DNA sequence: CATGAGAATGTGCGTGCGCACGCATTCAAG
DNA sequence: CTTGAATGCGTGCGCACGCACATTCTCATG
């Protein structure tokens, strides 16, 4: 029945509501790094050329496109990224992660991953974690298609 | 490995970020009801005596305790709940769902559940839905314990 | 070349949200 | 009874977030 489907959705909402503020606080206390910054830096670091345009960043990151502009401003003010113009298309603006940004990301990664491990993964068997990842991956694939 | 655990967490974040605004818009367009209101009304409707104190409501609902106070104000302004004093403890305040509130909830339920079905459950097998629900249930149980 | 449609970005603005605080009340200890 | 700690609640305040719009630029079409 879809009853278990609704239960799964409700559990997802509750886990998100309880865990995101928790991990955010832990990360900010240990590294002075908001979760939003971490997400943006992570995407930039794994991008080809370590840079992305604002639109690409908004599409791939969790935050909205309009918010990306301000977050990049803050990151640039802290020297973690640089704003660069695209000579081929002067409308677009690239955000490139700096070496200082990569250093902050490397310092923050074990804190964030450790928090996920302690509060999330530790409660799951390997099979359950795999099942959750594949199931939610299907949902994401369907959402991208529409 | 915990690699799949991190992948599961990342997928959860993305599904939440993509689906919550979607369902919120659908619900608001069809019933003029924010998702926060729906959640509060749902908890009140399934509570003993159809009423809860602010603290209980903040503990059981997705929204924070401080936010509950303002949401209940808005719901009371629309006649969907009533604020009542507790004669046994004059600090606490009860929120009781009205008949109009129950009617709005009954009208909104098929819209919300239909959205969950179309965007979420439809992509999952019954076994996957069950696995996600139980796995995230374990995480919630561990969070409640701490 | 001229021009209008469409894309990519930045920003003013309103809203939702939680934290920290103050107030009223209850309870326990003396 | 008195009093200090603890509880439950409401609210001022600041921050984060997305929408809608203006701006700048590209490109296809005539």
């Amino acid at each position: 029945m879809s009853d278990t489907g609704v239960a799964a959705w409700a559990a997802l909402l509750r886990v998100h509501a309880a865990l995101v503020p928790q991990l955010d606080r832990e990360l900010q206390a240990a590294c002075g790094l908001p979760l939003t910054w971490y997400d943006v830096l992570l995407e930039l670091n794994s991008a080809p050329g370590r840079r992305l345009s604002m639109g690409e960043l908004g599409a791939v990151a969790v935050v909205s496109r309009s918010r990306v502009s301000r977050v990049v401003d803050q990151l640039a003010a802290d020297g973690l990224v640089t704003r660069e113009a695209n000579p081929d298309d002067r409308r677009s603006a690239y955000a490139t992660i700096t070496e200082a940004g990569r250093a902050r990301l490397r310092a923050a990664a074990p804190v964030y991953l450790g928090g996920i491990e302690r509060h999330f993964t530790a409660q799951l068997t390997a099979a359950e974690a795999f099942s959750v990842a594949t199931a939610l991956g299907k949902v994401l694939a369907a959402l991208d298609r529409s």
Side-chain angles (χ1 to χ4, degrees), chain A residues 139-146:
Chain A
V139 175
L140 283 177
L143 286 175
D144 285 346
R145 231 173 297 136
S146 61

Side-chain angles (χ1 to χ4, degrees), chain A residues 15 18-28 30-31 35 38 107-124:
Chain A
V15 168
L19 217 46
V20 167
Q22 174 82 18
L23 294 173
D24 196 2
R25 276 192 298 268
E26 288 182 10
L27 194 63
Q28 192 138 5
C31 312
L35 199 52
Y38 182 90
V111 175
Y112 185 45
L113 296 177
I116 297 174
E117 169 65 26
R118 278 187 297 116
H119 300 302
F120 187 72
T121 314
Q123 317 301 328
L124 274 51

Side-chain angles (χ1 to χ4, degrees), chain A residues 59-106:
Chain A
V60 68
V62 174
V63 301
S64 73
R65 186 197 59 79
S66 69
R67 187 96 244 291
V68 164
S69 183
R70 306 187 201 260
V71 173
V72 168
D73 279 343
Q74 296 173 317
L75 289 170
D78 271 30
L80 305 183
V81 307
T82 58
R83 277 187 174 277
E84 299 174 0
N86 180 358
D88 293 339
D89 187 341
R90 298 174 57 190
R91 292 172 301 180
S92 71
Y94 279 135
T96 306
I97 189 171
T98 66
E99 198 53 45
R102 299 191 64 192
R104 285 287 286 277
L105 187 60
R106 277 193 297 268

Side-chain angles (χ1 to χ4, degrees), chain A residues 124-138:
Chain A
L124 274 51
T125 67
E128 285 172 337
F130 182 77
S131 182
V132 170
T134 55
L136 296 183
K138 286 185 184 179

